[in-house]
Amino acid sequence: MIRENRSRTLRTFGWDGLIQIVLIGNSIVMLAPIVIMVFSAFKTNAQIFQSPFALPDFTHVGNLVRVWTETDFVRYLMNSFIVTGASIVLILVLGTMAAYALARYEFRGSNAILLFFLAGLTLPLKLAVIPLFIQMRDLGLVDSRFSLIFIYVATGLPTTVFIMTGFIRSLPNELEDAARMDGASEARIMWSIMLPLVRPAMVIAAIQNVVPIWNDFFFPLIFIQNNDLKTLPQGLTTFMGEFGTDWGVLFSGLTLSALPIILLYIALSRQFINGMTAGAIK
Amino acid sequence: MLSSKLTGRRLWIAALVVPPLAFMCLFLVYPILSAFAYAFYEWRGLVRGDFVWFANFHRVLFEYPFSERTLNAFTHNIVVFFALMILQNGVGFLLAYCLWRELWGARFHRIAVFLPVVLSTVIVGLLWKLFLHPLFGAVNVSLRAVGLGTLAQPWLGQDSTALMAIIVANAWHMVGFPTLVFLAGMQRIPSEILDAARMETESEWVKMTKIVWPLVAPSATVVFTLLFVGAFNWFEMPFVMGGIDGSPHGATDVLGLYFYRTAFGSMSASAENFGPGSALAVLIFLFIAVVSSVITLKLRKREIQL
């Protein structure tokens, strides 16, 4: 009996050990490219080619300074901030408005409207880029940030309405009814009583939208040609062409571009993981 | 009094619902409906010409040189789908199974596997392009360093390896997503079922294939369907790593790139060609819609209600 137990413990131990090795190996594969990228940002070409894995001299910041001062990196970064920020604000405002109406009021057609939003979840807008291009040209929005913002709002609304409607429905009625008894207007009830309770769902919705919008490359490629308006992913491809042979600068550009989202992810990893898998987990 | 209050309520609801609906209609639904219409017209540059029935579809499916390129790209999409099924979803399932044991450090490993997912495809693609450089890239440098110099090759520069190299980079980028979706599915399996299984068998393999795999079926449905849609919409990774022409020699050409080239032109090909471009978009759209619905329905049947 004791012997059997011991062999069992040993077997579990061996199995767990194997799993631990797989996990450690995988984490190395996941992190090593990012670590090499950051290391290379501090190296010269010769150092990168001869010893790509060696620790660099972290005081050698010349490459990073060159990216910051000699390229349009800062401009691209600002453009990405403006486009992403404006899109997220609009998505949250409009998404919460629709979700609130659908979740808190009974009215004719509310189910149809919810279904309409849900249908939007499955539409790949990339394939409609030809009519979208002609439409934007007619509206005078080609080479304008608004083309991107409007597209991101339209593609971001379905998931946001989906998440927010579910959340707002789950809120209790008592507070709302009490306020209504006291004669508060519908707008006042929504603004002062319900909205403060919705914040957690707003964080999830914001994160779910922020990553694809910040990272998007396809729509800027179609709609933005003016260098002054390019977003970071798009600007990065331009910049890689210009500094094609200076690998230290290339790795610096990649490192600086990846840094904002990596830092945000490390600080908020739980929210990121929840937010980005929210649509796939019922 | 009552009726004025009711109209007020109606106005209030309309004020909440109409602006978001307007955005959806104007920038999502209307363009997609137009895409269907556009495919039936002849286009001269950006100007719409005559209604030509199925001429554009006929061109991209049956006329040289369109037909050959369509078939070449479509074949590559199929390869991409099956390769990522193994490298991304298969590996993701195994990693989820490992993380599920909640061993020491599992939280760290979970954060690590998802880190590349938050990065832009452009950053990941450019990074791997540098790593795969034939002379100076970290991959070949390390192969030479450990004495495997004969294996070092121009990964992205030859027909035989280019597509696979981009697929592997894609798998590195996205494997964290199926991993964490599967993990969430595993965490929802009730512990009574697992305890019962532990009484019956000691084999991890039996537990994995007979208990866990069927019970994470809902996660599998989602992850498989998303991969299918992603594989046939594949654009950014091959664009960044292989270029708009799917170099070398169209070895990395996929439907997304081919559609973009046809519609908007490229350095080597001519200018815009909206007719065949729209026809391609409609065909890709219908193919994705029909097959992903079939996949979803088939896979849903497999799901067990607990």
Side-chain angles (χ1 to χ4, degrees):
Chain A
M1 187 67 200
I2 292 168
R3 204 157 154 191
E4 198 174 287
N5 255 344
R6 200 169 63 183
S7 84
R8 196 176 175 151
T9 331
L10 259 177
R11 193 154 50 209
T12 333
F13 189 74
W15 182 246
D16 284 355
L18 185 70
I19 285 178
Q20 195 63 273
I21 290 167
V22 170
L23 287 176
I24 291 172
N26 182 67
S27 289
I28 291 172
V29 171
M30 288 293 128
L31 298 179
I34 295 170
V35 172
I36 297 170
M37 171 181 82
V38 176
F39 281 6
S40 304
F42 296 91
K43 291 179 181 175
T44 62
N45 264 6
Q47 288 167 327
I48 294 171
F49 300 158
Q50 275 149 27
S51 45
F53 310 108
L55 264 175
D57 170 10
F58 283 108
T59 58
H60 179 257
V61 291
N63 295 328
L64 295 160
V65 172
R66 278 188 70 192
V67 172
W68 198 266
T69 55
E70 286 177 34
T71 74
D72 292 322
F73 178 83
V74 180
R75 178 175 288 159
Y76 300 147
L77 187 68
M78 288 318 292
N79 287 335
S80 273
F81 268 118
I82 295 169
V83 169
T84 310
S87 306
I88 295 295
V89 169
L90 267 174
I91 288 174
L92 288 183
V93 170
L94 293 168
T96 309
M97 280 162 59
Y100 187 82
L102 294 172
R104 301 311 279 192
Y105 301 112
E106 301 233 338
F107 59 97
R108 221 173 344 127
S110 65
N111 276 331
I113 292 174
L114 184 61
L115 279 178
F116 179 76
F117 276 112
L118 294 189
L121 278 173
T122 56
L123 296 178
L125 190 60
K126 273 182 189 174
L127 294 173
V129 72
I130 293 175
L132 207 51
F133 183 79
I134 292 186
Q135 189 182 340
M136 291 295 180
R137 188 204 51 177
D138 293 346
L139 293 169
L141 293 179
V142 170
D143 251 336
S144 153
R145 291 195 187 96
F146 286 106
S147 60
L148 300 180
I149 295 172
F150 290 166
I151 289 171
Y152 296 148
V153 171
T155 48
L157 274 176
T159 42
T160 310
V161 170
F162 178 64
I163 293 175
M164 301 290 285
T165 308
F167 188 84
I168 296 176
R169 265 193 190 145
S170 70
L171 296 174
N173 286 322
E174 287 81 12
L175 281 172
E176 196 185 350
D177 292 342
R180 208 164 273 144
M181 248 22 146
D182 290 342
S185 70
E186 293 297 325
R188 174 114 197 121
I189 293 173
M190 176 179 171
W191 184 257
S192 318
I193 296 176
M194 303 308 282
L195 283 194
L197 302 174
V198 187
R199 261 186 233 140
M202 279 187 167
V203 173
I204 295 280
I207 285 177
Q208 190 169 36
N209 285 299
V210 88
V211 177
I213 295 176
W214 178 265
N215 289 339
D216 183 50
F217 173 61
F218 183 77
F219 289 112
L221 185 70
I222 307 271
F223 291 107
I224 306 291
Q225 272 103 48
N226 182 352
N227 191 51
D228 291 348
L229 296 174
K230 282 182 179 170
T231 59
L232 199 51
Q234 189 190 12
L236 207 53
T237 56
T238 318
F239 152 90
M240 295 298 274
E242 284 167 20
F243 288 82
T245 52
D246 201 333
W247 283 40
V249 176
L250 296 183
F251 278 114
S252 298
L254 292 175
T255 303
L256 285 174
S257 312
L259 209 58
I261 203 112
I262 289 183
L263 292 179
L264 202 63
Y265 171 68
I266 291 173
L268 297 170
S269 61
R270 185 192 298 270
Q271 285 86 342
F272 263 77
I273 291 172
N274 288 344
M276 291 183 69
T277 54
I281 297 168
K282 278 172 271 182
Chain B
M1 175 66 197
L2 190 72
S3 77
S4 90
K5 202 174 172 190
L6 262 180
T7 359
R9 192 184 110 110
R10 210 173 271 172
L11 271 176
W12 166 242
I13 291 176
L16 289 176
V17 173
V18 171
L21 274 181
F23 262 92
M24 285 271 293
C25 292
L26 211 59
F27 297 104
L28 191 67
V29 178
Y30 175 71
I32 285 178
L33 293 180
S34 318
F36 280 87
Y38 279 29
F40 294 92
Y41 287 89
E42 196 187 344
W43 287 83
R44 294 180 202 89
L46 296 176
V47 184
R48 193 163 72 176
D50 298 330
F51 188 85
V52 291
W53 294 101
F54 290 95
N56 290 320
F57 293 97
H58 190 266
R59 266 177 93 185
V60 295
L61 285 179
F62 304 112
E63 283 172 38
Y64 184 85
F66 288 98
S67 55
E68 281 196 359
R69 291 184 193 148
T70 310
L71 186 66
N72 177 48
F74 181 67
T75 317
H76 290 153
N77 281 101
I78 293 176
V79 173
V80 170
F81 173 66
F82 284 106
L84 286 179
M85 199 67 176
I86 297 166
L87 291 175
Q88 209 163 286
N89 287 351
V91 172
F93 178 79
L94 292 179
L95 287 174
Y97 192 77
C98 293
L99 287 169
W100 186 40
R101 301 279 288 217
E102 295 284 341
L103 298 180
W104 187 83
R107 206 176 105 81
F108 170 81
H109 296 306
R110 198 165 61 217
I111 294 175
V113 76
F114 203 72
L115 176 58
V117 180
V118 305
L119 294 178
S120 162
T121 311
V122 174
I123 295 178
V124 174
L126 292 173
L127 184 63
W128 279 99
K129 209 174 160 182
L130 290 178
F131 287 157
L132 291 170
H133 189 280
L135 291 177
F136 308 125
V139 172
N140 282 353
V141 169
S142 352
L143 283 174
R144 285 190 208 105
V146 295
L148 292 170
T150 46
L151 286 179
Q153 44 197 309
W155 302 100
L156 290 169
Q158 56 192 10
D159 296 8
S160 54
T161 52
L163 186 63
M164 220 41 195
I166 303 177
I167 289 172
V168 170
N170 196 89
W172 178 82
H173 183 201
M174 293 309 292
V175 72
F177 184 77
T179 303
L180 292 191
V181 174
F182 275 128
L183 179 62
M186 290 174 190
Q187 284 166 341
R188 273 200 309 266
I189 299 175
S191 54
E192 305 90 70
I193 293 185
L194 295 169
D195 291 340
R198 215 160 285 142
M199 306 288 262
E200 292 295 323
T201 175
E202 293 238 329
S203 155
E204 286 292 332
W205 175 251
V206 172
K207 261 188 268 175
M208 194 198 290
T209 52
K210 295 275 177 337
I211 310 286
V212 177
W213 175 245
L215 287 177
V216 296
S219 309
T221 306
V222 170
V223 162
F224 288 3
T225 312
L226 286 179
L227 179 69
F228 178 79
V229 175
F232 283 87
N233 264 323
W234 215 42
F235 177 80
E236 300 190 351
M237 198 57 112
F239 181 93
V240 172
M241 293 186 73
I244 188 63
D245 292 314
S247 61
H249 324 111
T252 61
D253 200 14
V254 285
L255 288 172
L257 291 176
Y258 178 50
F259 158 66
Y260 179 90
R261 270 200 328 270
T262 312
F264 293 98
S266 70
M267 312 257 237
S268 56
S270 53
E272 298 97 354
N273 207 347
F274 279 4
S278 297
L280 267 175
V282 168
L283 289 172
I284 299 171
F285 179 84
L286 288 178
F287 179 76
I288 292 177
V290 171
V291 180
S292 65
S293 315
V294 172
I295 293 180
T296 310
L297 286 177
K298 285 254 177 215
L299 290 178
R300 281 249 172 92
K301 277 200 195 127
R302 210 169 72 82
E303 293 176 14
I304 306 160
Q305 295 299 326
L306 284 178

